[in-house]
Amino acid sequence: MGNATSLSMMPVAGDALIDRFGDETVNVVCCTLGAEWGSFYRIGTGQRPFGYRTHGVPTEFGAAYAREDMQHLDPLHPFRMVPRRQRFLTMGDTRADNPARHRAFTSFLHSYGAQDAAEMIFSYRGKAVAGLSLAWTRRKPERRATVEIGQSLQGYIEFNLGALWPDAGMQGGEPGNVEGIFTSREREVLDVVCRGFTNEQDR
């Protein structure tokens, strides 16, 4: 399935650069913040994530997220963060906004062993182009330190991504014009596959 996805997506040279950047970024951020799971992604039409580069995320978690349509409960989903121009948030930051949704998504995280989560959004020329999801499984991190370091990392990563984005030939579009090639259902399946396979499994 990994090979079939690669062929159908037909990645261009720019995709390879962004993928490499994503791999390095997710590894550095997870190491720095002590997160066990991480997923770097690009942001497409309607703030829809695609092109996942994952670290430590269990296959069953990604599959359950898609199967149970958790994006509608996820308080850290890009379609909630991007319109508000939020750049780095922890689960704790979202509690007051909608307590019921916060409790429901926290329960989902806990059912797969995740204790806490956070999200980063990266923009280029005022447009959100990528993001990074994080989750902690061993223990819940100290919030103040996580926010301070996370905000610093977000700015640094965004700066470096801005230097790379024009060279990669990416203007916020999806690889191989996926939006036009596949139906909405086919794109959902591709997203599940992308979430389900870690980089280590693909190699």
Side-chain angles (χ1 to χ4, degrees):
M1 291 180 70
N3 291 336
T5 302
S6 298
L7 289 172
S8 65
M9 296 284 247
M10 295 188 299
V12 296
D15 294 325
L17 286 172
I18 297 298
D19 285 349
R20 175 65 188 276
F21 181 86
D23 290 341
E24 297 297 335
T25 297
V26 73
N27 287 334
V28 166
V29 173
C30 283
C31 182
T32 303
L33 291 177
E36 286 75 34
W37 301 354
S39 184
F40 180 92
Y41 55 86
R42 283 173 273 172
I43 298 175
T45 305
Q47 285 78 58
R48 187 178 63 83
F50 71 97
Y52 295 87
R53 308 299 294 178
T54 63
H55 171 86
V57 182
T59 301
E60 58 272 19
F61 176 83
Y65 186 101
R67 183 179 63 251
E68 299 177 30
D69 210 14
M70 295 305 297
Q71 66 175 352
H72 296 296
L73 284 178
D74 187 351
L76 299 174
H77 194 282
F79 73 64
R80 289 196 171 87
M81 292 183 63
V82 171
R84 299 178 181 182
R85 299 188 178 278
Q86 293 167 321
R87 296 154 55 89
F88 178 78
L89 286 181
T90 66
M91 281 295 292
D93 296 323
T94 69
R95 184 181 294 110
D97 182 50
N98 189 317
R101 185 166 58 212
H102 179 275
R103 284 194 300 272
F105 192 72
T106 297
S107 178
F108 174 76
L109 289 175
H110 288 174
S111 70
Y112 286 90
Q115 303 301 310
D116 205 352
E119 200 85 11
M120 295 182 183
I121 299 293
F122 311 113
S123 297
Y124 174 68
R125 294 185 177 177
K127 180 177 181 179
V129 295
L132 178 63
S133 300
L134 296 165
W136 290 262
T137 62
R138 295 176 187 167
R139 60 180 178 81
K140 193 169 184 176
E142 198 280 311
R143 184 180 177 279
R144 182 174 179 179
T146 298
V147 170
E148 289 179 355
I149 299 172
Q151 289 175 341
S152 296
L153 285 171
Q154 189 279 337
Y156 181 73
I157 294 164
E158 187 172 75
F159 175 80
N160 284 283
L161 181 61
L164 173 66
W165 205 257
D167 292 338
M170 302 292 294
Q171 297 301 322
E174 301 185 23
N177 192 21
V178 171
E179 199 71 41
I181 292 175
F182 299 107
T183 67
S184 60
R185 177 57 185 156
E186 287 169 335
R187 291 197 299 270
E188 288 176 11
V189 172
L190 287 173
D191 279 349
V192 172
V193 174
C194 288
R195 287 193 191 97
F197 285 90
T198 64
N199 298 335
E200 291 78 7
Q201 289 171 312
D202 284 338
R203 290 172 185 155

